[in-house]
Amino acid sequence: MQNRRNFLSSALVGAAAFSLGVSGAEAQDKKKKKRSSGKAAGPIVISTWDFGRAANRAAWDVLKAGGRALDAVEAGVKIPEADPNNHTVGYSGFPDRDGRVTLDACIMDEKGNCGSVAALEHIMHPISVARQVMEKTPHVMLVGDGALQFALAQGFEKTNLLTPESEKAWKEWLKKAEYKPVINIENKSYDTKGATAFNPLMLPGNVYNHDTIGMVALDANGNLSGACTTSGMAFKMHGRVGDSPIIGAGLYVDNEVGAATSTGLGEEVIRVVGSFLVVELMRQGYSPEDACKEAVTRIVKKNPERAKGIQIGFLALNKKGEHGAYCLQKGFNYAVCTGDTEDKNTLIDGKTYFK
Ligand code: ASP
């Protein structure tokens, strides 16, 4: 944790780095706090959870061909969006408590352009709609019926996103309809005796409890982009929007510095504008992991009791291709891809605040 003096000096380093330009910034690097959890030369793509590996693979195909990070992240997150076995993103996502599948997504490029959709129904790839919002409208965010209207006008097809398996899980949930969701608590670390909250993993069938896919990438030209997409909290109130489609909360990219994304209980991430915070901390000289750790710590400080019962994970990549993550509870991991082979697309456990 930083004291005031350290904070001021690292803030000055950050400010100096800007005024000095790239080589000056590199010279200052030696003075910066450096405890990166991972290092890789670009191109590189990283994403949340184990299903991030399949997503990374699709993103990597774009990156290795010299493509833009923006195209890579869009292609990458489309994999879990279309996966019928993934019940927390896109098609077959768990519905809200009224039985409606409502999706949230956003995308951001190296120029600071961004687009977002929230509470979008019936569209398999909300990330691509978010990209169209970015590229074809003067706006950043479209929600609900307006987002759907726009998507249909752009030629996206209407699809029934509620699969029989997700419907079954929802009907099971309706029996108690307990509105006390817990996010991301892994099966293995979940204490059912102490459980007061609903957990989709306790449902019959092999139902995924993992959440948002957040992905950030650095391409061969040294440009960063990111994408984030989710069906949000299972059985949420109709109209509830989490952090994932909110630029600065679920995703932020600053091509001078780095990019960050998040997963977990979105309300908490919104409260600290989490991904923006992580990027700003990297600007001040924090390593990706330390920046994520500080953001997680900020959430705990706001409400230590609440933090004990939830999961939050942040993931970050800086301009040098260094990556890191930090989360509240055990169980969060992220996938890092730097090449074609399996050993270059690995899962890393996030370090945790609660041991
Ligand atoms: N952050 C997402 C939300 O709050 C869900 C998650 O990643 O767990 O909607």
Side-chain angles (χ1 to χ4, degrees):
M1 200 180 303
Q2 290 206 319
N3 60 29
R4 185 175 149 77
R5 177 185 291 193
N6 285 343
F7 173 81
L8 285 175
S9 69
S10 58
L12 286 173
V13 167
F18 266 117
S19 58
L20 289 170
V22 175
S23 55
E26 274 167 8
Q28 292 286 349
D29 276 346
K30 292 191 184 120
K31 294 182 191 162
K32 289 179 188 172
K33 197 170 164 185
K34 276 187 117 190
R35 272 185 285 140
S36 222
S37 64
K39 201 170 189 175
I44 175 171
V45 54
I46 65 175
S47 59
T48 49
W49 303 112
D50 49 356
F51 53 69
R53 292 183 76 215
N56 282 356
R57 188 53 64 222
W60 182 256
D61 286 344
V62 176
L63 293 175
K64 79 171 177 195
R68 255 182 106 184
L70 181 71
D71 294 324
V73 295
E74 182 187 3
V77 304
K78 282 172 84 172
I79 302 297
E81 278 187 341
D83 181 354
N85 296 315
N86 185 325
H87 296 288
T88 58
V89 180
Y91 176 64
S92 87
F94 283 137
D96 64 19
R97 64 186 193 180
D98 298 345
R100 296 160 74 161
V101 181
T102 66
L103 305 178
D104 299 336
C106 74
I107 193 160
M108 192 162 188
D109 76 6
E110 76 279 5
K111 296 182 193 113
N113 298 314
C114 47
S116 161
V117 288
L120 173 63
E121 293 181 71
H122 314 301
I123 301 291
M124 174 90 77
H125 290 298
I127 198 65
S128 299
V129 184
R131 182 163 178 179
Q132 302 275 301
V133 172
M134 173 173 96
E135 291 178 344
K136 301 209 170 138
T137 79
H139 308 304
V140 165
M141 193 165 194
L142 292 178
V143 306
D145 288 346
L148 178 61
Q149 190 184 359
F150 170 73
L152 296 175
Q154 294 304 309
F156 289 87
E157 274 174 27
K158 224 170 164 176
T159 309
N160 175 18
L161 302 176
L162 186 66
T163 58
E165 202 181 16
S166 291
E167 190 172 11
K168 192 171 153 203
W170 168 60
K171 289 198 168 142
E172 193 63 33
W173 176 82
L174 276 179
K175 287 181 186 163
K176 285 196 179 161
E178 244 188 316
Y179 194 65
K180 290 179 185 169
V182 166
I183 290 198
N184 296 345
I185 306 294
E186 287 269 287
N187 208 13
K188 57 181 184 272
S189 63
Y190 191 69
D191 172 10
T192 49
K193 284 188 208 122
T196 53
F198 169 78
N199 182 338
L201 273 175
M202 295 163 75
L203 290 170
N206 183 20
V207 178
Y208 246 136
N209 187 31
H210 285 168
D211 310 293
T212 305
I213 179 129
M215 172 180 275
V216 291
L218 179 68
D219 64 28
N221 290 320
N223 286 323
L224 291 157
S225 290
C228 187
T229 173
T230 189
S231 52
M233 185 190 284
F235 320 123
K236 60 198 174 186
M237 288 174 72
H238 182 62
R240 179 266 185 188
V241 173
D243 58 323
S244 307
I246 297 179
I247 297 295
L251 176 74
Y252 198 70
V253 177
D254 185 324
N255 209 39
E256 300 272 351
V257 177
T261 187
S262 63
T263 183
L265 190 61
E267 282 74 2
E268 301 306 312
V269 177
I270 292 171
R271 285 189 176 101
V272 298
V273 199
S275 293
F276 180 75
L277 174 62
V278 170
V279 171
E280 285 306 295
L281 289 165
M282 290 195 290
R283 189 195 305 282
Q284 292 168 17
Y286 280 67
S287 71
E289 182 184 308
D290 284 341
C292 294
K293 183 177 180 181
E294 178 61 24
V296 165
T297 305
R298 192 87 57 102
I299 287 170
V300 178
K301 271 195 211 150
K302 286 211 184 292
N303 192 329
E305 273 313 301
R306 189 165 54 201
K308 283 183 196 155
I310 61 166
Q311 175 66 303
I312 304 284
F314 287 107
L315 189 61
L317 177 66
N318 69 16
K319 199 63 185 162
K320 291 181 277 185
E322 295 168 332
H323 55 87
Y326 211 82
C327 57
L328 275 174
Q329 325 277 351
K330 264 197 247 170
F332 170 68
N333 48 25
Y334 71 108
V336 178
C337 182
T338 55
D340 274 326
T341 50
E342 285 301 292
D343 62 317
K344 297 242 161 93
N345 190 15
T346 52
L347 264 187
I348 298 180
D349 285 333
K351 292 193 187 148
T352 61
Y353 184 92
F354 294 113
K355 305 301 169 197

